[in-house]
Amino acid sequence: QVQVAESGGGLVQAGGSLRLSCEASGRTFRNYSLAWFRQAPGKEREFVARINWSGKYYADSVQGRFTISRDNAENTVFLQMNNLKPEDTAVYYCAANRGPYSGGSGYTQWDYWGQGTQVTVSS
């Protein structure tokens, strides 16, 4: 079982920045595929970004504003969010798979999830 825990959410004005962190347990973290999803009230959970041995991938809605990165020594994946917009308001979830080429843009493709962290962007 992989334990996943997000942190770093909060309230920010439009145009501002936030950095989310997600720590995942396990000795083979460097092999994990990792992703960020988000879910706004009344909407389905949607893909934001993912990172694995194939590279980094982003949703069109965040391309150029958000950056996903990882620190394998700290078992942590980050989501740097710049130029935030009110439509970015959501609960942000971190997801992990054990395999290095695993997971995609569908939330059913991911095995381990954190509890989520709230991001609110005011206009």
Side-chain angles (χ1 to χ4, degrees):
Q1 190 76 4
V2 176
Q3 305 298 320
V4 180
E6 307 94 340
S7 61
L11 174 64
V12 64
Q13 288 188 332
S17 299
L18 278 176
R19 188 193 197 202
L20 305 183
S21 300
C22 169
E23 186 171 349
S25 65
R27 292 180 295 176
T28 59
F29 178 86
R30 67 180 63 252
N31 296 336
Y32 292 179
S33 296
L34 300 151
W36 289 95
F37 286 75
R38 66 187 182 187
Q39 189 166 17
K43 295 188 177 181
E44 286 195 352
R45 192 167 298 192
E46 66 172 2
F47 168 74
V48 175
R50 63 184 173 95
I51 183 170
N52 61 15
W53 287 11
S54 295
K56 302 177 183 181
Y57 303 87
Y58 298 93
D60 290 343
S61 59
V62 306
Q63 181 75 48
R65 300 188 297 122
F66 291 10
T67 302
I68 189 170
S69 62
R70 65 193 296 167
D71 183 341
N72 290 333
E74 298 295 329
N75 277 33
T76 302
V77 61
F78 303 99
L79 186 68
Q80 177 66 44
M81 305 185 294
N82 298 329
N83 191 22
L84 282 160
K85 304 175 181 180
E87 52 264 42
D88 294 318
T89 295
V91 177
Y92 282 70
Y93 296 91
C94 180
N97 283 350
R98 291 185 183 274
Y101 299 104
S102 180
S105 59
Y107 65 85
T108 59
Q109 297 173 299
W110 296 86
D111 296 327
Y112 304 102
W113 292 87
Q115 294 298 308
T117 185
Q118 177 70 45
V119 172
T120 303
V121 184
S122 62
S123 58

